[in-house]
Amino acid sequence: MIREADDLARGQDPVLQEFAGLTSLAHSIVLRHGQAAATALARIIEVSGPHFQVLTEEKIPLTAAAEAAVIANAPHRLHQVDLPHDQGVRGSYRCDIVLLCEKVGYGVLIEVKRGASSRSHKAMLRRLEIARLAARFHLQQKSRISRVEAVIIDLHGTESAPGVILRDQIDDFFGLPITRQLDRFDAIYRARARSALVRRYENLSQALTPASVNISGDGQSQAAASAVGDEDAGDNPIGPARILAARQRQSGGLHVVGGAQ
């Protein structure tokens, strides 16, 4: 994923210019980490818990009846509710991970996030609940389950809420040593990300010759200085310098409120 991000980081920006590729790569690496972490978590669960069946990117139907039920009822009233999955379908929810365990007849819809706010949690949990209401009948085509829950696993978040599993709660939730494997995944991802960024930075440093930067002695570029009239005011100042000169001619000087002319 990092190699792909590096290959695609060819951004063009009128302000950042030669820095655009580096910033594009850094942004892409952060975004892709969430997707990579969801894939890593699914594989870790699959290897660590052989009694689990793990589905990734499973499409759960979203129905009109499920949406109406969520709108009309408090969450605790819907815990034991199941609705048909093939009637009034309005779309689908692509779930990061679906965990099935026939041994206890249990299924879990899991949305994986790098770090989310309580507001984001609320919106995601509402959509997950709509999916959950039709999920049991949909998933019974794949496994013998009698109950389905839905949770968010927030890998780097700090805001706890019902239905949200933070990083330090993951092992207890699954009953498996998941966190240490996630730490190892993060360490590998971080090392490869840093290598890609350092290579891009070194290439950028070589391209940034003194002539290309063109910084004036007071820290402003010549172009910026000219634009505000500092370098080429003369008899025909431009931009803010022209406005300032006109006001000075009208008032005979600057007047500072609460100070002296």
Side-chain angles (χ1 to χ4, degrees), residues 1 23-24 32 58 135 167 198 226 244 254:
M1 297 186 79
T23 56
S24 173
R32 290 167 187 260
E58 180 73 11
R167 195 179 188 92
V198 166
S226 297
L244 179 61
L254 290 176

Side-chain angles (χ1 to χ4, degrees), residues 107-178:
V108 191
L109 308 184
I110 302 173
E111 182 73 14
V112 182
K113 294 298 177 185
R114 293 184 71 249
S117 66
S118 57
R119 184 175 181 180
S120 297
H121 288 159
K122 186 176 181 180
M124 285 185 286
L125 286 169
R126 182 178 180 275
R127 192 163 177 83
L128 270 173
E129 184 66 6
I130 294 173
R132 186 196 68 79
L133 291 176
R136 184 168 75 87
F137 288 116
H138 169 76
L139 294 172
Q140 279 181 341
Q141 302 172 75
K142 305 174 185 291
S143 179
R144 294 189 299 273
I145 57 171
S146 57
R147 182 166 60 100
V148 177
E149 291 187 11
V151 299
I152 296 171
I153 293 183
D154 201 341
L155 296 174
H156 299 283
T158 58
E159 298 189 33
S160 182
V164 178
I165 309 299
L166 299 181
R167 195 179 188 92
D168 60 0
Q169 301 168 332
I170 292 176
D171 287 1
D172 287 340
F173 179 75
F174 289 105
L176 296 168
I178 301 292

Side-chain angles (χ1 to χ4, degrees), residues 11-238:
Q12 299 293 325
D13 186 272
V15 175
L16 297 176
Q17 296 181 346
E18 58 268 83
F19 289 91
L22 178 62
T23 56
S24 173
L25 175 59
H27 181 66
S28 182
I29 283 173
V30 171
L31 291 180
R32 290 167 187 260
H33 177 246
Q35 181 183 350
T39 301
L41 178 59
R43 292 180 179 174
I44 291 168
I45 296 170
E46 195 168 26
V47 172
S48 303
H51 51 288
F52 291 140
Q53 180 183 356
V54 180
L55 309 176
T56 57
E57 299 294 318
E58 180 73 11
K59 289 184 177 180
I60 308 296
L62 297 175
T63 68
E67 184 175 1
V70 169
I71 292 172
N73 293 276
H76 70 274
R77 299 184 61 185
L78 298 172
H79 285 172
Q80 304 299 322
V81 175
D82 295 307
L83 295 172
H85 69 288
D86 55 358
Q87 298 178 16
V89 177
R90 291 185 171 181
S92 62
Y93 185 91
R94 189 183 294 273
C95 199
D96 287 337
I97 303 172
V98 176
L99 185 65
L100 304 174
C101 181
E102 288 192 353
K103 186 176 180 179
V104 295
Y106 180 65
V108 191
L109 308 184
I110 302 173
E111 182 73 14
V112 182
K113 294 298 177 185
R114 293 184 71 249
S117 66
S118 57
R119 184 175 181 180
S120 297
H121 288 159
K122 186 176 181 180
M124 285 185 286
L125 286 169
R126 182 178 180 275
R127 192 163 177 83
L128 270 173
E129 184 66 6
I130 294 173
R132 186 196 68 79
L133 291 176
R136 184 168 75 87
F137 288 116
H138 169 76
L139 294 172
Q140 279 181 341
Q141 302 172 75
K142 305 174 185 291
S143 179
R144 294 189 299 273
I145 57 171
S146 57
R147 182 166 60 100
V148 177
E149 291 187 11
V151 299
I152 296 171
I153 293 183
D154 201 341
L155 296 174
H156 299 283
T158 58
E159 298 189 33
S160 182
V164 178
I165 309 299
L166 299 181
R167 195 179 188 92
D168 60 0
Q169 301 168 332
I170 292 176
D171 287 1
D172 287 340
F173 179 75
F174 289 105
L176 296 168
I178 301 292
T179 307
R180 67 182 184 185
Q181 298 292 342
L182 283 174
D183 291 343
R184 182 169 178 265
F185 159 76
D186 277 348
I188 294 171
Y189 190 92
R190 186 184 305 112
R192 296 190 179 183
R194 292 178 70 174
S195 294
L197 289 169
V198 166
R199 284 195 301 271
R200 185 64 68 105
Y201 176 76
E202 288 174 344
N203 292 337
L204 177 61
S205 297
Q206 293 174 5
L208 290 177
T209 62
S212 69
V213 178
N214 192 22
I215 299 295
S216 65
D218 61 357
Q220 292 181 321
S221 69
Q222 295 291 344
S226 297
V228 298
D230 289 339
E231 294 293 324
D232 190 29
D235 296 331
N236 297 294
I238 62 173

